Amino acid sequence: MSEEKEKKIEIGYRELKGKSLKERIQMEPVKQWVKFILVFLIIVAFFIWSGAWWLWLLVPIAFDIYITKYVHWSGWKESKNPKLRTLAEWVDAIVFALIAVYIINCYLFQNYKIPSPSLEKTLLVGDFLFVSKVSYGPREPMTPLSFPLVQHTLPILECKSYIEKPHWEYKRLKGLGDVQRNDIVVFNFPAGDTVASKFQQSDYYTLSYIYGRDVVNSRKSAFGEIITRPVDRRENYVKRCVGIPGDTLQIIDGIVYIDGEASESFEGLQYNYYVETTSMLEDRVAEKLHIRKADIRILNNDKYYGMDFLKYAGYVDSTGNANYVYLLPLTKENHEKMSKMSSVVSIKRSFPDGKTFPLYRQDGWTRYDYGPIWIPKAGATVALNMDNILLYEQIIRNYELNKLEIKDSVIYINDQPADSYTFKMNYYWMMGDNRDNSADSRFWGYVPEDHIVGKPIFIWMSLDEDKSFPSNIRWSRLFTKVHPD
């Protein structure tokens, strides 16, 4: 700030000293009143939208800043010490920026980077998304005391980036619409309520299923501390919503059916295939088909597959030799292109693997053939029995916070025998377009409405991890819409 402007501010406060409220109001120029009125209208509009009563506390503060000036809010700017004044200016700018970012991040939009290939080719690893909070209505913070732009862990310090108390109940402000079938949605990972600090790539429930709950809880050297996280501090995921509340969903041979009808097919939809070739795939072939290097897996020497698998799958001939066999994600278009290559011998769908939701249900469901399963809707009531309780216990206990017990084949909710349950929230079924490389609702179940974060609108930056700067910038993807008309 210039010395001349500083002097004007100092003189202004000196002139107001000893003046009555009426005199202070009369002395302020029109432009100060215009500034105050604009701020007042913003506060009123936000109050109408959010219903937050505490916003009215900002009105007298704004009135004093612009009109009455009883408090010398910028008194630090008059310091004769230039170093102190510079430090104060930096602190003022940083605090303002943090508050602005916090408000924008909570109520308007946030940035999100695609970390995994679950939505390839619709969204690519390295895409940076502009995520609108207004599309579905911003969710008010549940853990309001948190560091801006950090989800749950402060870098370097490796500690929580939030304070769990106070904790506010779930409330969503009015938005432009609701989550629709086939929308791409950013949401908090539902199974991320509990994590093992040294094994955060897998959720606690899957780890407990594989290794046993007692092992995971006791072996801190291997799994670390068991951490719980509030809803809005769980990892952000992005998937396509393929099922909305009230839908009956079933997957048959990889195709999603909603209420008995096949769902819409997308241009970027792809599945895993075993591709048998007489020679190794060249890099230019993979680049032409837009297949990431990380997604090219040759099975001949693979520690998980190897020759034993190739024998089982029929790729080894009578002499004990086999062609090259790759595991590749292919769209319908890429499948057709590869089928025409002279070096390609065969292309077959990969075998499904991995336990599906719910983990302890023995029904033979796979990621290719799954369900039917009904997606819960707020206010709807479902009959409960020992055959279906595993489908809903996660909702009843973890998401809607009831006490759930089963004794002698009798279901107890909040210590009362129960043969039905009425849902408090809407739930959604999320899946990746890269169907066989996506950890989604088939593995960890429903996404509650209070976990919905927002809707990706456009890609503002896209970086190819297989290339170096500046050729790694995917210029054709910059500022392209995520949801084309």
Side-chain angles (χ1 to χ4, degrees):
M1 180 181 294
S2 66
E3 289 186 13
E4 183 179 351
K5 194 168 184 179
E6 287 178 12
K7 287 181 180 178
K8 285 184 179 180
I9 292 173
E10 187 176 355
I11 293 170
Y13 274 95
R14 196 179 301 145
E15 289 178 348
L16 288 171
K17 194 172 182 179
K19 301 291 184 181
S20 66
L21 175 61
K22 183 178 180 180
E23 290 173 324
R24 286 171 180 262
I25 291 174
Q26 291 174 343
M27 288 177 65
E28 286 305 320
V30 173
K31 68 176 184 179
Q32 289 297 101
W33 280 97
V34 171
K35 291 178 182 178
F36 168 72
I37 291 171
L38 286 174
V39 171
F40 177 75
L41 291 176
I42 291 172
I43 292 172
V44 170
F46 204 85
F47 169 76
I48 294 172
W49 186 34
S50 67
W53 62 267
W54 56 266
L55 288 167
W56 293 111
L57 299 177
L58 301 178
V59 174
I61 295 174
F63 191 72
D64 187 65
I65 290 173
Y66 292 105
I67 307 299
T68 56
K69 298 179 181 177
Y70 281 107
V71 178
H72 199 346
W73 299 93
S74 58
W76 54 267
K77 294 178 181 177
E78 299 174 13
S79 172
K80 303 301 181 182
N81 186 331
K83 291 183 178 180
L84 179 61
R85 192 165 61 245
T86 300
L87 177 62
E89 286 175 353
W90 273 103
V91 171
D92 180 65
I94 291 171
V95 170
F96 176 81
L98 288 176
I99 293 173
V101 166
Y102 181 83
I103 293 172
I104 291 170
N105 218 37
C106 284
Y107 294 100
L108 300 177
F109 64 85
Q110 75 175 56
N111 173 58
Y112 180 77
K113 180 186 176 183
I114 299 293
S116 70
S118 67
L119 279 168
E120 301 251 349
K121 304 300 183 189
T122 307
L123 293 174
L124 308 181
V125 172
D127 282 349
F128 290 80
L129 308 179
F130 178 96
V131 180
S132 166
K133 299 289 186 73
V134 181
S135 294
Y136 303 132
R139 178 185 58 188
E140 289 198 348
M142 298 176 178
T143 47
L145 300 181
S146 61
F147 196 85
L149 302 179
V150 180
Q151 185 61 16
H152 50 66
T153 305
L154 284 173
I156 302 175
L157 298 177
E158 295 297 321
C159 63
K160 288 183 179 180
S161 64
Y162 58 93
I163 299 174
E164 295 193 34
K165 294 183 179 180
H167 180 79
W168 295 348
E169 294 298 318
Y170 164 64
K171 179 183 178 183
R172 188 176 298 276
L173 306 186
K174 186 173 179 58
L176 301 177
D178 299 318
V179 178
Q180 301 297 314
R181 195 183 295 115
N182 297 325
D183 276 1
I184 294 177
V185 181
V186 174
F187 56 93
N188 295 118
F189 180 38
D193 59 335
T194 309
V195 294
S197 60
K198 291 185 179 181
F199 227 99
Q200 296 189 33
Q201 65 271 30
S202 297
D203 66 86
Y204 171 77
Y205 304 103
T206 301
L207 289 175
S208 298
Y209 176 80
I210 297 172
Y211 300 102
R213 191 181 299 269
D214 291 340
V215 172
V216 175
N217 289 344
S218 61
R219 292 185 59 185
K220 293 185 179 180
S221 60
F223 298 98
E225 296 289 336
I226 306 304
I227 302 169
T228 59
R229 289 176 179 154
V231 171
D232 57 344
R233 296 296 108 195
R234 297 169 191 172
E235 289 286 355
N236 286 327
Y237 274 37
V238 58
K239 307 286 181 186
R240 186 182 296 276
C241 176
V242 299
I244 60 175
D247 283 349
T248 297
L249 178 142
Q250 187 172 11
I251 303 172
I252 303 175
D253 194 26
I255 305 299
V256 175
Y257 289 80
I258 300 296
D259 297 331
E261 295 186 9
S263 63
E264 182 182 350
S265 181
F266 303 97
E267 186 177 346
L269 195 65
Q270 58 183 2
Y271 300 92
N272 277 353
Y273 292 88
Y274 301 126
V275 180
E276 182 185 8
T277 66
T278 55
S279 60
M280 294 190 71
L281 287 177
E282 298 180 18
D283 289 345
R284 62 182 180 83
V285 174
E287 187 173 351
K288 185 177 180 180
L289 297 176
H290 301 290
I291 300 175
R292 296 189 318 138
K293 290 180 180 179
D295 289 336
I296 301 173
R297 189 171 182 180
I298 185 167
L299 306 185
N300 300 61
N301 300 316
D302 190 274
K303 64 180 181 180
Y304 177 78
Y305 288 90
M307 291 302 293
D308 289 340
F309 171 79
L310 296 187
K311 287 178 183 178
Y312 168 79
Y315 288 108
V316 178
D317 61 24
S318 57
T319 64
N321 296 316
N323 288 318
Y324 298 101
V325 181
Y326 291 86
L327 180 63
L328 299 174
L330 298 176
T331 61
K332 182 179 180 181
E333 180 184 2
N334 281 349
H335 184 285
E336 293 174 356
K337 288 180 179 178
M338 291 209 77
S339 300
K340 297 174 182 177
M341 294 180 184
S342 58
S343 62
V344 174
V345 178
S346 65
I347 303 178
K348 300 176 184 178
R349 278 287 298 274
S350 66
F351 301 141
D353 59 2
K355 189 71 178 71
T356 59
F357 169 83
L359 289 172
Y360 295 92
R361 184 181 170 103
Q362 304 298 324
D363 46 31
W365 291 358
T366 71
R367 67 168 185 252
Y368 286 178
D369 294 283
Y370 186 91
I373 191 168
W374 180 74
I375 303 171
K377 183 177 182 178
T381 301
V382 65
L384 294 180
N385 52 58
M386 295 307 297
D387 291 328
N388 69 2
I389 186 61
L390 288 177
L391 293 172
Y392 305 116
E393 70 165 341
Q394 190 179 37
I395 290 177
I396 297 170
R397 180 184 288 124
N398 295 358
Y399 303 152
E400 301 195 354
L401 304 179
N402 297 282
K403 181 182 178 183
L404 174 66
E405 294 178 295
I406 300 174
K407 300 176 182 177
D408 300 323
S409 298
V410 177
I411 300 167
Y412 292 86
I413 298 178
N414 299 325
D415 298 321
Q416 299 296 318
D419 57 8
S420 66
Y421 183 77
T422 301
F423 298 97
K424 301 173 185 176
M425 290 191 289
N426 287 313
Y427 292 82
Y428 302 89
W429 197 262
M430 306 290 186
M431 291 174 61
D433 291 353
N434 192 359
R435 289 288 159 86
D436 299 334
N437 291 311
S438 174
D440 51 37
S441 286
R442 292 170 294 177
F443 298 96
W444 34 254
Y446 317 97
V447 176
E449 67 175 61
D450 67 348
H451 284 57
I452 301 297
V453 174
K455 182 177 183 177
I457 302 299
F458 63 83
I459 301 164
W460 65 268
M461 175 57 74
S462 183
L463 302 176
D464 189 339
E465 63 180 11
D466 291 335
K467 298 179 180 179
S468 56
F469 183 81
S471 59
N472 65 333
I473 301 176
R474 303 184 185 109
W475 295 100
S476 61
R477 295 185 66 78
L478 268 56
F479 299 101
T480 55
K481 297 174 74 174
V482 174
H483 295 264
D485 295 330

